[in-house]
Amino acid sequence: MKRKIYSILAASALLLASCTGSYLDINDNPNAAVSATPELVLSNALNVTAGRLTHNQIGNFFGGYWAPSGSYSGFVEERQFDYGATYGTGVWSSCYDNLQDYQYIIDKAEAQSWKAVSGIAKVMKAYNYQILVDAYNNVPFSDALKGTTAIRPKYDDAQTVYNELIKILDAASTDLKVPISGANPSPGAQDIVYKGDLTKWRQFANTLRLRIIMRQTNVSGKDLKSEVAKVVAEGAGFLGAGGTVNSTPGYLKTAGKQNPFWETYVQQASGADAGSKQAYVCSAFFITTLQTDLKDPRLARLAAKNNAGIYVGVPLGDGNDDNLFPKRSWFGPAIIKSFDQPMVLMTAAESFFLQAEAAQRGYTTGDAKALYEAGITEAFTAAGLTATDASTYYNTATKNVSWAASTDKIEAIITQKWVAMFSLTGFEAWCEFRRTGFPKVPVATKAIQQKNPARLFYPTSEISTNSDNVSAQNVTSQFDNKIFWAK
Amino acid sequence: MRKLLLLTAVFLLVQLGKTFAQDRQVTGKVTSSEDGSPLPGVSIAVKGTSKGTTTSADGTYKISVNAKDILTFSFVGFDTQTITVGTQSKINVVLSTNTSQLQEVVVTALGVQRQKESLGYAATTVKGSEINQAKAVSVTSALQGKVSGLQINIVNNGINPSSRVILRGNRSLLGNNEALVVIDGSVSTSDALNYLNPNDIDDVTVLKGANAAAIYGSDASNGALIITTKKGSAGAPKISVSNTTYIEEISFMPKFQERFGGGTESFSRVYIPFENQSYGPAYTNESVNLGMPLEDGSYQKTPYSYKSNAKLNSFDKGVTTQSSVSLSVGDKASSFYISAQQNDSKGVVPGDNKQQTALRMNASHEYSKFKGAFNIGYTTNNIDFTTSDFYNTVLNTPGQVPLDQYRDWRNFKNADGSLNYANPNNYFNAYFYSPFFNKDVNRRKEFNSTLSGNVELTYKATKWLSFLGRVGITKKDYNGKAIQEKFKYSAYAKSVADFSEAQNDLNGFAFDYNYTDYRITSDFFLTADKKFGKFSATFIAGINNKENTQKFVSTQANSLVIPGLYNVSNRVGEAGASESDAKTRLVGVYGDLTVGYKNFVYLHLSGRNDWSSLLGKDNRSFFYPGGDVSVVLTEAVPALKELSFLSFAKVRGSLTKVGGINVGPYALQTSFGTGSFPYGSLAGFSVGNTLPDPNLTPEFTNSFEVGGEFGFLNNRVNLELAYYTQKTTGQTVSISTSQATGYSNALINAGSVQNTGFELDLKTTPIKLANGFSWDFNVNFSQVDNKVLELYQGINELNLSNYYGLTSDASLGQVFATVGEQYPTIKVVAYKRDPDGRVIVNSETGYPSVATSLKTIGQSNPKYRLGLTTTLKYKGFGLNAVAEYRGGNYIYHGLASTVWFTGVAEATAAYGRERFVFPNSVIQNADGTFTPNTTVTVKDGGLGAWDSNLRRYGENFVTSAAFWKLREVALTYNVPARILASTKFIKSASVGLVGRNLITLLPKENLYTDPEFANTTSNAVGLNSNAQTPPTRTYGFTVNLGF
């Protein structure tokens, strides 16, 4: 009997060893893809970059455009600049998450010499890294995006990262010059920005490069002029009239598929008010600047009248019931269009103002005045007004409106750029304010220190996962620990 | 029946006549004192001789004796009785249950029964009668406070509560820590404790450590609850019928301020009639407008005063009726048991209800060397409950509002033509829905069913060798629909500028889902049981196979067209749809050997090898061994037996390793998401954020345990002690990584957690009188130290609450696993403090500011638990009570932040809404030193301080999580048999009053809620929220009849 049992056991053990193999090979994911071609990743990556709201929302507050309405209490971060490492964490996480997708595209595309696709991804890599530096100063770059091989990535000096971004854009340009062919396929419709138009991508890359260069005007010892010359020499030029970099995957009137700005601030797909519909309105500073200082006809396009039929904003820092949403000016029809309006990566007006500043500073031989006026015209047409309206406006002898009437040309350029970028690229407005001090956005009345915010803190997630590297940055103040290019 | 008895008597007479005078027959019947049921297998010995017999299946016996003989009746689990025969010819014996658990038989792994004295590990058995003493609705609540080392948290008191059952603390950082549940030998799922009919439970054996349960495989590293359901017992059919009706009522509400009504101005106290915050002026009792101007030009009016019971009265008293019936019958070869139970519950949230039906069929039959058996349970639930945050809106409504008057909101006008203030168009609050409206328009209905059972066949090859094959299935189906009713505000309501909520018509939605979980487990094993001289040996070897299959499918319509039609076709916009599938397999081979020397040393060794589909080919096979020793000192050292006070003593020790897999299916590869794609024909994918190590290995728990069991004073006092230490290493952890790595998480083997604990179970019978009065008093105590020893490469913490999606980086209170700290640990957003710990305030505003890093508060899992159970019996009366204390831990009250936001919290009126100097604060001087602040008051003592500033510090919302609870009280009366005899058909009857959680005692600082109510069954325990239902107490009346 015993022997029999042993033999049965031995036999079943053998049987087990032989058949468990395939019996247990059932761990292939039936629910989600585990690999994808680079152009399939490109569409989503672009959509995420363009749809990112957090950094622009912060910029809209700290850049002087927006204020929280009195319909909501709280908002001490925006009203009092009282914030810590838990504020704006999405800027960090979203940029790096997005960068990982671009890195995946670059790696996969370069492996098969798909230059068009890798070139586009490189432009966007630089675009994202600039946001990171402009929000946090030193950030992981050389060690970043390497998964567990560099699980606590070291931080690179912000200036070094900026220098690297110029190189990346240079490499992007090289890639983008390779003509489309069978071996170098066009991303086509997966490129939701330019549908594979590589010349336009080069113009965007050049303008972005100009933005990065011009950001460093306060940095001593930089030869910005020769840097700008290299961009001009690239040959494709900059974003021109009507060249605003728009992105749309074909937004739908479905929850989660509308234009994110619309879905967050205006209306849900179901028709109900968006979650943050009544939370944010124009600041008193923005309304006053346009209405009183600039006497700007764009006011009616950028802002809405309140329930008493006038334009009135919330003083930065205020939050009582006088400032309830219906009593204050919301955003106007040039900002709030429809669920399928495109998201803006960079305005064409910004391109002209960057060129105007470069010319004004003598970095190029361009006509600063003409470029400045072209920027205003571009901003007017983007806001739904005409070139004639624009010329009437910039020929009115108002400071920071007409070139001639503006004593400080840089102030005029930055002020007009600020108006042009209202609400849609608020982060850039905040950056330029920190660089130039223009326009003169007042400190919020209830701010914990009488200073404007200079940066974000490294997020809590980074403090808990990469603590040594974070503490080495020694960031203790949102007001005093400035970005390397700041004024 | 009478006829049969008569026949027996005649038969006995005949028998008697045949015997010698000095050696005659005595007959009788042995029954249990507990329920009067016959006891088969009771051994009857004639003292001082080798003569003896056992009772038959119907409890009867006969034995030849002479008058001087003394008979001893003994049976496992019962007190031994001795009776001098004398002249009696018929001796009926009622055995009372033994309070000592030491001699009991314990159902261990695989359904193998072992004498408790032979066990080298901790095992506690809770009998069915103890589970049902207070007629708990679920097994989960019935076990609370009764066993050391076993911690049960009921996570929500709603109509459909879930629970978290852990033994000896948490071992796994991000994996499963819940005890394995085994029903009749087959592995089930932990929610079984919620769907089993408690009346069907024969007993529950709690195997506290991994060592006891290892043979069940890798799921058993968390210990196991071995549930045995009732089988039909031999003898006459027994029918039991019982009915219990409970009332459930809110037992605790946060402390509210009763001085200030609606308002939201900083720096001033202005009454705003439509405001949802309570930062208005002090109550005056004058009549004021409430809400916005109404369509007919009128205003709702109310006295500006605090409406004391408006919040409490917005809840209902819940009612649950539980009806059960069972039939148990059997003979020598067969057993048969069927039962049915129906629970009808109405919740404390108006309109919430649930119907549960549980059926069970257990039967077995022996034929020659074969025995076949099946045990099948089927439970269905019909649940209808609101998905809105009823509790939240009730809590936060300003005090002047007569909230309980707004229950009936459907009609725009009342019958008398006046406007119905409860209707959303007329409702006072401009910013929040009426809780009654919201709960009615947002609902979920679910029908779920669980079929759980097994079929087994035993073949007894020889006297010492048998084979058993068993196939068990658990199949769960959940079919549900979550809906939102369409609602359109009137044109007038929309035109009122202040009425912000009226701008948001409800478009309605329908979310339909179907989830199936199908598990099949099969076991085949042999048991060899043999004695070799002074040695005894039991050997088990077997093979186990598990396959789990899950499928989830849902469809969603986000905006409905025709009101009242909740189907995905009735929509505008794109339909939502999702599906996911999962299948896993596990094969295990195991061996288990117990060797006993005489009856005092027992050595037990076990080993198991598993192969899992969840891991890569090279890592899927893993082996884990264990061993334990038990020495019965009182048998080993005869001198100890002579000590009059010591009746029993045993020491034991064990050493075990168990492998566990805490990886989900398909987790070894990064998966791609689709973001918000597709947009029409345009596709998009995104690289996932978790980077898995494809070579993941199982995590291993090494445990060491020593213990002792002692009986004193003839086992009137029993003491069990256990000390254990467990270390779980190489855990599978989805560790948060710097997002700059490109990933937010890496799934790797890392980290170790150590649990060290001490357990004490003291069972005493201080009083046992001849008149039947007895008092039992038991104490169980558990202490556990749960420490994170290491994580990964200098990463010192793991954010658990973020991992489980309960919080974000910005949340005021979060739960972590931190190296060197207790697991889990609560951390909060804190005040910026000077080196002496004083809060630094702004020299102008008087407000504190936020510290740059989170502050560690302490552990969220109780460090100590104390359970007290007591039973008083006198004649037919019985009083049972269970009390439990937990302490040494903290809770973060998520709901506190909202009651501060709205200003209904008592704390927000601490300074009468006047400006005040922040207590123990300092002002930072220009040179970096600090000066105590005695003069700078906060700029605004109302909204500015409490909502806008102080609410941002999580440290304001943490309290001790200690509590005392009177878990159960049951007063029962068993109607004496002589009264029942007159009914001719009722064999037993009892009535009782039962109560659960009648008293909860909390520390003074806890103004918010019952700390047992964490908002999660995940490992991130320590947070609550206002999306739960408030704690309740229940009391009721029960009637039990036996036929």
Side-chain angles (χ1 to χ4, degrees):
Chain A
M1 192 66 193
K2 240 181 219 172
R3 196 161 290 157
K4 225 185 225 172
I5 292 159
Y6 290 140
S7 55
I8 289 172
L9 280 178
S12 47
L14 272 174
L15 199 69
L16 202 71
S18 61
C19 72
T20 47
S22 58
Y23 178 73
L24 294 173
D25 287 337
I26 53 165
N27 210 24
D28 294 327
N29 196 331
N31 303 316
V34 292
S35 71
T37 53
E39 79 280 7
L40 282 173
V41 179
L42 181 66
S43 52
N44 185 69
L46 291 170
N47 196 41
V48 168
T49 315
R52 185 184 301 134
L53 299 174
T54 321
H55 69 303
N56 277 327
Q57 180 173 310
I58 291 168
N60 285 329
F61 288 115
F62 296 164
Y65 290 143
W66 291 10
S69 84
S71 297
Y72 287 83
S73 52
F75 289 112
V76 283
E77 295 86 353
E78 291 82 2
R79 288 175 179 145
Q80 301 173 16
F81 306 149
D82 186 0
Y83 62 83
T86 57
Y87 182 63
T89 55
V91 177
W92 182 277
S93 58
S94 166
C95 281
Y96 275 113
D97 184 15
N98 197 204
L99 277 164
Q100 177 211 18
D101 283 351
Y102 288 120
Q103 194 61 51
Y104 179 89
I105 296 164
I106 294 168
D107 294 345
K108 288 272 168 181
E110 285 192 335
Q112 16 185 5
S113 290
W114 286 12
K115 297 288 184 186
V117 174
S118 65
I120 293 170
K122 284 173 189 172
V123 176
M124 296 312 294
K125 182 176 174 179
Y127 183 93
N128 274 287
Y129 265 119
Q130 193 194 9
I131 294 172
L132 283 167
V133 172
D134 292 354
Y136 300 99
N137 204 39
N138 298 346
V139 293
F141 178 83
S142 54
D143 249 8
L145 311 179
K146 290 183 175 166
T148 40
T149 48
I151 201 161
R152 281 169 292 133
K154 71 171 195 316
Y155 283 51
D156 291 281
D157 173 64
Q159 175 72 69
T160 313
V161 178
Y162 251 51
N163 297 345
E164 290 298 322
L165 300 187
I166 300 289
K167 290 183 199 162
I168 290 173
L169 287 170
D170 199 43
S173 178
T174 309
D175 284 357
L176 292 166
K177 283 176 182 165
V178 179
I180 296 297
S181 67
N184 179 29
S186 166
Q190 297 297 128
D191 169 9
I192 60 171
V193 175
Y194 286 136
K195 305 280 179 284
D197 184 333
L198 301 187
T199 308
K200 285 185 175 162
W201 271 108
R202 284 169 58 200
Q203 289 172 350
F204 179 25
N206 289 340
T207 315
L208 181 60
R209 201 162 151 183
L210 185 60
R211 180 200 266 184
I212 294 170
I213 295 164
M214 295 308 292
R215 189 82 92 232
Q216 303 174 70
T217 53
N218 298 324
V219 182
S220 58
K222 299 289 294 183
D223 181 5
L224 299 181
K225 188 173 177 179
S226 71
E227 286 297 326
V228 174
K230 284 184 213 161
V231 188
V232 174
E234 196 276 347
F238 300 98
L239 299 173
T244 289
V245 188
N246 285 326
S247 167
T248 175
Y251 292 120
L252 301 169
K253 200 171 170 57
T254 293
K257 297 192 180 191
Q258 301 196 100
N259 169 299
F261 188 95
W262 179 268
E263 185 149 40
T264 305
Y265 303 119
V266 186
Q267 198 180 58
Q268 299 173 41
S270 62
D273 279 359
S276 300
K277 164 78 188 285
Q278 305 206 355
Y280 312 119
V281 290
C282 295
S283 73
F285 175 73
F286 177 76
I287 298 289
T288 315
T289 304
L290 267 72
Q291 199 164 35
T292 314
D293 299 351
L294 306 179
K295 299 178 184 61
D296 201 309
R298 283 171 292 183
L299 181 62
R301 301 294 304 160
L302 300 178
K305 289 174 180 168
N306 73 350
N307 60 357
I310 54 168
Y311 293 100
V312 50
V314 173
L316 290 169
D318 272 12
N320 55 9
D321 264 16
D322 289 343
N323 295 302
L324 286 180
F325 180 79
K327 300 178 183 168
R328 291 293 177 260
S329 283
W330 195 45
F331 318 133
I335 305 300
I336 303 303
K337 294 177 195 161
S338 67
F339 71 88
D340 59 355
Q341 68 188 74
M343 288 297 292
V344 175
L345 284 161
M346 187 185 258
T347 61
E350 184 190 344
S351 170
F352 287 111
F353 290 119
L354 285 168
Q355 294 173 64
E357 188 183 349
Q360 178 63 24
R361 290 184 188 271
Y363 300 161
T364 66
T365 54
D367 178 347
K369 176 173 182 284
L371 287 163
Y372 169 79
E373 287 171 353
I376 293 176
T377 306
E378 182 57 34
F380 266 64
T381 50
L385 300 174
T386 64
T388 321
D389 297 331
S391 85
T392 311
Y393 171 72
Y394 60 69
N395 285 312
T396 312
T398 311
K399 186 188 164 196
N400 296 334
V401 175
S402 111
W403 185 255
S406 304
T407 42
D408 185 338
K409 307 297 184 200
I410 301 295
E411 178 176 4
I413 292 168
I414 303 299
T415 304
Q416 281 302 325
K417 184 156 77 171
W418 180 77
V419 178
M421 297 194 297
F422 176 69
S423 286
L424 300 178
T425 56
F427 185 75
E428 186 58 22
W430 181 40
C431 292
E432 291 293 78
F433 170 59
R434 288 179 289 162
R435 173 172 72 96
T436 64
F438 300 129
K440 292 170 181 142
V441 181
V443 178
T445 49
K446 296 190 173 63
I448 53 171
Q449 289 185 37
Q450 282 304 302
K451 294 173 182 171
N452 273 308
R455 61 171 301 135
L456 299 180
F457 286 107
Y458 293 111
T460 43
S461 63
E462 193 64 11
I463 293 170
S464 63
T465 57
N466 200 5
S467 52
D468 293 351
N469 285 320
V470 174
S471 45
Q473 305 311 313
N474 198 23
V475 174
T476 53
S477 164
Q478 63 268 55
F479 305 107
D480 304 328
N481 292 117
K482 295 181 177 178
I483 310 299
F484 79 99
W485 44 250
K487 196 179 174 185
Chain B
M1 211 58 190
R2 263 241 189 110
K3 256 180 196 161
L4 192 70
L5 276 176
L6 206 65
L7 264 171
T8 319
V10 172
F11 177 72
L12 286 176
L13 278 172
V14 175
Q15 289 288 315
L16 271 172
K18 283 183 177 173
T19 54
F20 297 106
Q22 74 270 33
D23 201 23
R24 59 199 170 83
Q25 289 270 13
V26 167
T27 62
K29 189 170 180 177
V30 183
T31 53
S32 161
S33 67
E34 205 157 77
D35 54 1
S37 63
L39 292 172
V42 176
S43 69
I44 301 157
V46 179
K47 220 175 178 177
T49 74
S50 59
K51 273 199 290 186
T53 183
T54 55
T55 55
S56 59
D58 59 356
T60 59
Y61 71 94
K62 69 182 171 195
I63 189 166
S64 46
V65 292
N66 61 49
K68 285 178 189 164
D69 280 350
I70 297 170
L71 295 181
T72 60
F73 295 79
S74 58
F75 191 51
V76 172
F78 290 84
D79 284 337
T80 300
Q81 271 196 38
T82 52
I83 291 171
T84 310
V85 174
T87 57
Q88 302 173 88
S89 61
K90 186 167 184 179
I91 303 178
N92 288 340
V93 176
V94 179
L95 289 184
S96 54
T97 47
N98 191 344
T99 51
S100 156
Q101 303 271 319
L102 300 178
Q103 312 294 327
E104 71 195 337
V105 167
V106 175
V107 179
T108 63
L110 301 169
V112 176
Q113 299 200 343
R114 287 176 63 187
Q115 290 291 327
K116 191 172 178 188
E117 62 184 30
S118 74
L119 297 182
Y121 46 76
T124 302
T125 299
V126 184
K127 286 189 207 142
S129 56
E130 292 169 74
I131 285 172
N132 285 300
Q133 65 187 20
K135 292 286 166 192
V137 183
S138 71
V139 183
T140 333
S141 45
L143 285 172
Q144 280 184 321
K146 289 179 183 166
V147 182
S148 70
L150 173 67
Q151 184 188 324
I152 297 180
N153 280 32
I154 308 279
V155 164
N156 202 329
N157 235 25
I159 198 78
N160 193 29
S162 41
S163 55
R164 176 173 169 84
V165 179
I166 58 170
L167 282 162
R168 295 187 165 171
N170 299 296
R171 280 153 297 274
S172 188
L173 290 164
L174 295 176
N176 177 28
N177 279 305
E178 287 207 75
L180 179 72
V181 174
V182 178
I183 305 172
D184 294 320
S186 289
V187 171
S188 185
T189 49
S190 59
D191 62 340
L193 299 175
N194 289 327
Y195 64 69
L196 277 179
N197 171 358
N199 290 315
D200 287 345
I201 307 290
D202 199 28
D203 62 41
V204 177
T205 297
V206 183
L207 302 177
K208 296 175 188 174
N211 39 2
I215 201 115
Y216 280 113
S218 47
D219 298 340
S221 52
N222 301 315
L225 303 183
I226 310 293
I227 296 174
T228 308
T229 59
K230 284 180 181 161
K231 311 289 183 279
S233 51
K238 277 200 318 190
I239 298 171
S240 325
V241 176
S242 73
N243 186 289
T244 310
T245 301
Y246 315 87
I247 306 291
E248 180 180 20
E249 62 181 31
I250 307 282
S251 59
F252 196 91
M253 286 282 242
K255 295 277 181 297
F256 301 110
Q257 57 89 2
E258 302 183 359
R259 297 172 59 191
F260 302 97
T264 184
E265 295 300 288
S266 306
F267 306 108
S268 61
R269 314 279 166 261
V270 182
Y271 174 64
I272 299 171
F274 51 82
E275 180 52 51
N276 71 298
Q277 287 184 292
S278 296
Y279 288 101
Y283 291 123
T284 57
N285 211 24
E286 286 165 39
S287 176
V288 290
N289 291 340
L290 184 58
M292 291 144 288
L294 299 170
E295 193 163 327
D296 61 1
S298 71
Y299 277 93
Q300 182 183 178
K301 295 275 183 185
T302 192
Y304 191 57
S305 64
Y306 188 72
K307 310 293 187 295
S308 297
N309 287 318
K311 287 175 180 154
L312 198 55
N313 290 345
S314 294
F315 287 92
D316 278 349
K317 274 199 174 16
V319 181
T320 296
T321 324
Q322 184 185 65
S323 313
S324 316
V325 58
S326 70
L327 165 69
S328 162
V329 66
D331 57 31
K332 268 183 184 164
S334 313
S335 73
F336 181 77
Y337 176 86
I338 53 174
S339 78
Q341 185 183 57
Q342 173 80 20
N343 284 321
D344 279 302
S345 304
K346 240 172 70 5
V348 290
V349 175
D352 284 7
N353 65 82
K354 169 172 159 178
Q355 290 85 42
Q356 184 179 65
T357 308
L359 306 177
R360 173 159 291 277
M361 293 166 280
N362 292 350
S364 68
H365 187 75
E366 264 179 75
Y367 175 74
S368 169
K369 288 182 165 180
F370 289 95
K371 182 182 178 184
F374 64 83
N375 308 288
I376 292 170
Y378 182 64
T379 305
T380 65
N381 283 298
N382 249 314
I383 314 161
D384 179 353
F385 63 103
T386 183
T387 50
S388 74
D389 52 350
F390 186 79
Y391 185 39
N392 180 28
T393 30
V394 168
L395 288 188
N396 286 304
T397 301
Q400 83 274 10
V401 178
L403 185 63
D404 52 337
Q405 309 299 308
Y406 302 134
R407 283 179 172 244
D408 188 7
W409 58 269
R410 291 234 174 234
N411 295 323
F412 181 65
K413 286 184 173 177
N414 297 316
D416 64 0
S418 61
L419 292 172
N420 178 9
Y421 301 137
N423 186 269
N425 289 304
N426 307 324
Y427 191 63
F428 85 95
N429 197 326
Y431 306 102
F432 280 83
Y433 296 119
S434 148
F436 298 103
F437 164 70
N438 208 13
K439 80 168 174 60
D440 285 346
V441 295
N442 290 295
R443 299 204 72 80
R444 192 165 117 196
K445 289 181 185 179
E446 182 179 283
F447 173 79
N448 65 52
S449 64
T450 305
L451 176 70
S452 162
N454 60 30
V455 171
E456 66 178 45
L457 184 65
T458 315
Y459 172 65
K460 210 164 164 43
T462 68
K463 261 195 166 171
W464 56 272
L465 180 67
S466 63
F467 296 88
L468 187 146
R470 183 192 286 138
V471 178
I473 57 163
T474 303
K475 184 167 192 292
K476 296 188 230 189
D477 287 285
Y478 298 79
N479 290 297
K481 197 179 284 257
I483 60 125
Q484 183 186 63
E485 221 174 290
K486 261 175 100 82
F487 184 85
K488 212 171 158 57
Y489 280 90
S490 67
Y492 171 77
K494 283 181 191 298
S495 75
V496 178
D498 291 321
F499 202 166
S500 107
E501 204 65 292
Q503 311 309 318
N504 294 324
D505 289 342
L506 300 183
N507 289 287
F509 64 75
F511 173 75
D512 197 283
Y513 61 94
N514 187 307
Y515 174 68
T516 313
D517 182 323
Y518 179 69
R519 293 162 193 244
I520 182 157
T521 84
S522 51
D523 276 289
F524 180 77
F525 63 90
L526 65 86
T527 310
D529 205 342
K530 210 163 183 182
K531 281 202 154 104
F532 308 92
K534 286 173 180 171
F535 291 92
S536 61
T538 307
F539 177 67
I540 300 167
I543 176 167
N544 169 244
N545 183 17
K546 290 182 209 176
E547 181 175 281
N548 295 352
T549 310
Q550 280 117 11
K551 187 169 188 71
F552 178 82
V553 178
S554 72
T555 61
Q556 188 167 7
N558 287 314
S559 186
L560 302 178
V561 184
I562 295 163
L565 177 60
Y566 302 105
N567 185 286
V568 68
S569 63
N570 179 34
R571 67 162 204 278
V572 288
E574 279 194 356
S578 80
E579 68 155 310
S580 78
D581 290 281
K583 190 189 275 291
T584 63
R585 287 180 180 147
L586 184 129
V587 178
V589 176
Y590 51 82
D592 183 290
L593 174 71
T594 309
V595 178
Y597 173 69
K598 290 189 173 170
N599 53 350
F600 63 84
V601 182
Y602 300 90
L603 173 70
H604 171 228
L605 298 169
S606 70
R608 177 167 167 135
N609 198 92
D610 280 351
W611 290 265
S612 166
S613 70
L614 290 164
L615 299 175
K617 272 191 176 135
D618 299 335
N619 306 300
R620 66 167 55 137
S621 166
F622 52 104
F623 175 74
Y624 40 97
D628 56 72
V629 176
S630 156
V631 180
V632 182
L633 296 175
T634 36
E635 298 291 336
V637 185
L640 288 175
K641 254 190 167 171
E642 303 305 315
L643 298 171
S644 57
F645 63 89
L646 184 69
S647 9
F648 179 80
K650 167 186 148 184
V651 290
R652 55 180 173 77
S654 80
L655 206 54
T656 317
K657 174 181 179 182
V658 182
I661 302 177
N662 273 316
V663 186
Y666 323 123
L668 300 184
Q669 279 177 294
T670 296
S671 61
F672 281 61
T674 55
S676 43
F677 282 79
Y679 291 87
S681 59
L682 186 70
F685 286 87
S686 171
V687 186
N689 288 325
T690 299
L691 181 65
D693 174 357
N695 299 313
L696 286 175
T697 58
E699 50 189 59
F700 286 97
T701 302
N702 288 296
S703 37
F704 166 71
E705 177 177 350
V706 287
E709 296 166 21
F710 307 95
F712 302 101
L713 306 174
N714 207 18
N715 286 334
R716 289 268 292 264
V717 176
N718 290 301
L719 177 66
E720 286 193 40
L721 301 168
Y723 170 83
Y724 60 87
T725 165
Q726 306 173 328
K727 192 167 161 185
T728 305
T729 51
Q731 302 211 9
T732 310
V733 175
S734 176
I735 198 153
S736 299
T737 54
S738 162
Q739 283 146 339
T741 61
Y743 297 87
S744 56
N745 293 83
L747 190 63
I748 49 174
N749 284 114
S752 75
V753 172
Q754 181 168 286
N755 286 15
T756 308
F758 172 74
E759 285 157 4
L760 175 150
D761 287 87
L762 177 69
K763 302 192 177 192
T764 67
T765 308
I767 302 175
K768 191 167 191 178
L769 300 178
N771 66 6
F773 179 80
S774 70
W775 177 37
D776 291 342
F777 180 71
N778 301 336
V779 178
N780 66 74
F781 172 79
S782 328
Q783 182 255 315
V784 56
D785 184 68
N786 235 184
K787 210 167 224 168
V788 181
L789 298 182
E790 59 171 341
L791 285 173
Y792 184 67
Q793 288 191 8
I795 293 174
N796 284 329
E797 61 185 20
L798 205 59
N799 192 326
L800 300 174
S801 46
N802 281 11
Y803 175 79
Y804 292 106
L806 301 169
T807 60
S808 70
D809 283 345
S811 299
L812 301 178
Q814 301 173 37
V815 179
F816 287 83
T818 306
V819 173
E821 301 279 348
Q822 290 287 312
Y823 169 75
T825 287
I826 298 176
K827 292 191 178 195
V828 295
V829 174
Y831 294 112
K832 199 174 254 175
R833 291 171 190 269
D834 75 352
D836 297 329
R838 295 170 298 183
V839 174
I840 305 167
V841 298
N842 185 290
S843 60
E844 285 170 43
T845 63
Y847 291 130
S849 59
V850 174
T852 38
S853 57
L854 298 176
K855 177 180 174 183
T856 302
I857 296 294
Q859 69 186 86
S860 62
N861 211 40
K863 190 170 187 62
Y864 309 105
R865 288 192 312 103
L866 180 65
L868 304 176
T869 67
T870 186
T871 305
L872 292 165
K873 275 186 192 161
Y874 181 65
K875 298 201 166 157
F877 288 95
L879 177 67
N880 296 295
V882 179
E884 187 182 3
Y885 167 81
R886 297 185 191 176
N889 57 330
Y890 298 89
I891 179 119
Y892 172 79
H893 297 278
L895 67 83
S897 137
T898 62
V899 290
W900 281 43
F901 160 68
T902 53
V904 297
E906 188 184 52
T908 64
Y911 295 93
R913 300 279 166 85
E914 299 296 332
R915 297 179 63 172
F916 61 94
V917 175
F918 192 90
N920 193 25
S921 60
V922 290
I923 290 168
Q924 185 160 21
N925 305 315
D927 63 357
T929 60
F930 300 93
T931 310
N933 172 34
T934 51
T935 49
V936 182
T937 55
V938 297
K939 257 190 169 174
D940 173 19
L943 179 102
W946 300 100
D947 168 17
S948 304
N949 196 294
L950 302 182
R951 183 168 68 87
R952 300 184 304 144
Y953 307 96
E955 63 176 298
N956 289 326
F957 309 134
V958 179
T959 69
S960 155
F963 65 78
W964 264 110
K965 272 191 197 184
L966 186 56
R967 290 275 186 206
E968 290 185 357
V969 179
L971 177 66
T972 45
Y973 175 68
N974 291 304
V975 181
R978 60 191 152 80
I979 296 175
L980 296 175
S982 61
T983 65
K984 298 192 173 127
F985 63 98
I986 300 177
K987 281 189 195 150
S988 68
S990 71
V991 292
L993 296 171
V994 291
R996 290 198 69 76
N997 297 334
L998 292 182
I999 301 171
T1000 302
L1001 301 177
L1002 301 177
K1004 271 210 184 88
E1005 62 183 270
N1006 184 353
L1007 303 169
Y1008 300 108
T1009 195
D1010 181 344
E1012 190 185 342
F1013 281 47
N1015 63 353
T1016 180
T1017 55
S1018 77
N1019 293 342
V1021 174
L1023 314 170
N1024 65 31
S1025 83
N1026 49 16
Q1028 303 173 258
T1029 42
T1032 59
R1033 65 170 70 92
T1034 57
Y1035 48 87
F1037 179 74
T1038 179
V1039 183
N1040 303 287
L1041 296 172
F1043 302 98

